Amino acid sequence: MNDIGIVSMSAVGSWKQVSARLEKTVSGYSEADLQREVAPGRNRIYYLVGHLAAVHDRMLPLLLIGERRYSELDEAFLTKADRVVADSISGEELREALRVANLEVTAGLEGWSAEEFLKRHSAVSEEDFAVDPLRNRLSVLLSRTNHASFHLGQMLLVK
Amino acid sequence: MNDIGIVSMSAVGSWKQVSARLEKTVSGYSEADLQREVAPGRNRIYYLVGHLAAVHDRMLPLLLIGERRYSELDEAFLTKADRVVADSISGEELREALRVANLEVTAGLEGWSAEEFLKRHSAVSEEDFAVDPLRNRLSVLLSRTNHASFHLGQMLLVK
């Protein structure tokens, strides 16, 4: 394995570790638990699961892995804050969306050659990428892994 | 810049982004805020600041950057849970320890050649590292960045 191979495996390992912990945590909540707020007046776990499902689903086109599956989540879980849109989807469905999105992102990453991590993502133009090669797929992966850790820390406040 | 250079800059960029957000958040809390729990019955922000200062200070020898400065934090903020050890240090001192630890880790990373990120860290033996080259300094950096994001998400529940 060359150096870039080791690096990309480190980053994918970090993503997989956080994703696995996230899914394990989420699978431990009942529908009633999902309705609990992570702290008084803050987001419900229900919202955070939908939020992470939407964000991870959006990684598929962003990383040029494939098409989105759950764009209907954006309005309630990404554009708007918790409780602005009436709940129209079960916690179980959100959990499944998160599981599928994580699975597809991971499968996509694992199919990449090491060099693909350094290619541009779909939200940066070729011109801008030529100026700033740090706007690559690896940076997206690191950023989303941190984002998932951020909300995982909040969810784990509810037992 | 070669490929490994771009990769290591992406990882350092992620660390710096999380560290900067962490310090900005922590600097916004008064001593009274620091005594607040992130959620009912959970860790105080005071404890989390000390915890992150200790963990980041430990990165210095772990990444072979240098000696620790704040090993006296371990007992109250790493080994033991919140409130087990009586508070003997001010929030301002914890904030300063976190700031210094982050600064020294970042300065160390920025002084590295790209290849140094793939060398072994000090907690893995040469024999074990030969078997598993993913136990490198980059993996430590990614793991600690996620850990900081995890607790940052909790702290931000208190405004």
Side-chain angles (χ1 to χ4, degrees):
Chain A
M1 189 158 47
N2 67 11
D3 283 356
I4 289 285
I6 292 172
V7 163
S8 54
M9 277 188 67
S10 297
V12 173
S14 174
W15 159 262
K16 286 171 74 173
Q17 191 175 41
V18 172
S19 300
R21 193 168 173 203
L22 184 60
E23 284 175 46
K24 189 176 171 213
T25 299
V26 167
S27 70
Y29 294 121
S30 65
E31 287 282 338
D33 288 335
L34 289 169
Q35 289 298 321
R36 292 178 62 188
E37 297 170 331
V38 298
R42 298 294 174 177
N43 291 324
R44 291 172 298 165
I45 298 180
Y46 172 86
Y47 179 82
L48 292 180
V49 176
H51 177 67
L52 288 165
V55 169
H56 294 181
D57 185 55
R58 286 165 74 101
M59 290 171 75
L60 296 170
L62 187 57
L63 295 174
L64 295 105
I65 291 172
E67 301 274 312
R68 295 192 62 182
R69 282 175 177 252
Y70 302 104
S71 51
E72 72 277 10
L73 296 178
D74 291 12
E75 170 79 1
F77 298 100
L78 203 63
T79 315
K80 302 279 172 61
D82 190 17
R83 299 186 190 81
V84 173
V85 176
D87 296 349
S88 66
I89 178 164
S90 70
E92 185 51 42
E93 287 171 295
L94 293 180
R95 225 194 312 252
E96 175 66 7
L98 178 60
R99 193 187 66 79
V100 170
N102 286 354
L103 193 71
E104 298 211 343
V105 168
T106 303
L109 297 174
E110 291 188 326
W112 283 359
S113 69
E115 287 68 23
E116 281 179 277
F117 287 85
L118 298 185
K119 290 184 180 167
R120 76 182 170 96
H121 57 72
S122 69
V124 62
S125 69
E126 285 190 37
E127 295 72 26
D128 290 344
F129 184 62
V131 176
D132 184 2
L134 291 182
R135 298 177 70 175
N136 54 40
R137 300 178 197 178
L138 177 70
S139 291
V140 170
L141 180 63
L142 296 179
S143 164
R144 294 304 179 277
T145 305
N146 277 314
H147 176 259
S149 295
F150 182 95
H151 290 303
L152 177 62
Q154 298 176 330
M155 286 185 189
L156 282 168
L157 296 173
V158 176
K159 274 194 182 157
Chain B
M1 190 159 45
N2 67 12
D3 283 356
I4 289 285
I6 293 173
V7 163
S8 54
M9 278 190 66
S10 297
V12 173
S14 175
W15 159 261
K16 285 171 74 172
Q17 192 174 40
V18 172
S19 300
R21 195 169 172 202
L22 184 61
E23 284 175 46
K24 190 176 171 213
T25 300
V26 167
S27 70
Y29 294 121
S30 65
E31 288 281 339
D33 289 335
L34 289 170
Q35 290 298 322
R36 291 178 62 189
E37 298 171 329
V38 298
R42 299 294 176 178
N43 291 324
R44 291 172 299 165
I45 298 179
Y46 171 87
Y47 179 82
L48 291 180
V49 176
H51 177 68
L52 287 164
V55 169
H56 294 181
D57 185 54
R58 286 165 73 102
M59 290 171 74
L60 296 169
L62 187 57
L63 296 174
L64 295 105
I65 291 172
E67 301 275 312
R68 295 192 62 183
R69 282 175 178 250
Y70 302 105
S71 51
E72 71 278 10
L73 296 178
D74 291 11
E75 170 78 2
F77 299 100
L78 204 63
T79 316
K80 301 280 172 65
D82 191 16
R83 297 186 193 84
V84 174
V85 176
D87 297 350
S88 66
I89 178 165
S90 71
E92 185 51 41
E93 287 170 295
L94 293 180
R95 228 195 310 255
E96 176 65 8
L98 178 61
R99 194 189 65 78
V100 170
N102 286 353
L103 193 71
E104 298 211 342
V105 168
T106 303
L109 298 173
E110 291 188 326
W112 283 359
S113 70
E115 287 69 23
E116 280 179 278
F117 288 85
L118 297 185
K119 290 185 180 166
R120 75 182 171 97
H121 57 72
S122 70
V124 63
S125 69
E126 284 189 38
E127 294 72 27
D128 290 346
F129 184 63
V131 176
D132 184 2
L134 291 181
R135 299 177 69 175
N136 55 39
R137 299 178 197 178
L138 177 70
S139 291
V140 169
L141 180 64
L142 297 178
S143 164
R144 294 304 179 277
T145 305
N146 277 315
H147 176 258
S149 295
F150 182 96
H151 290 304
L152 178 63
Q154 298 176 331
M155 286 185 190
L156 282 168
L157 296 172
V158 176
K159 275 192 182 159

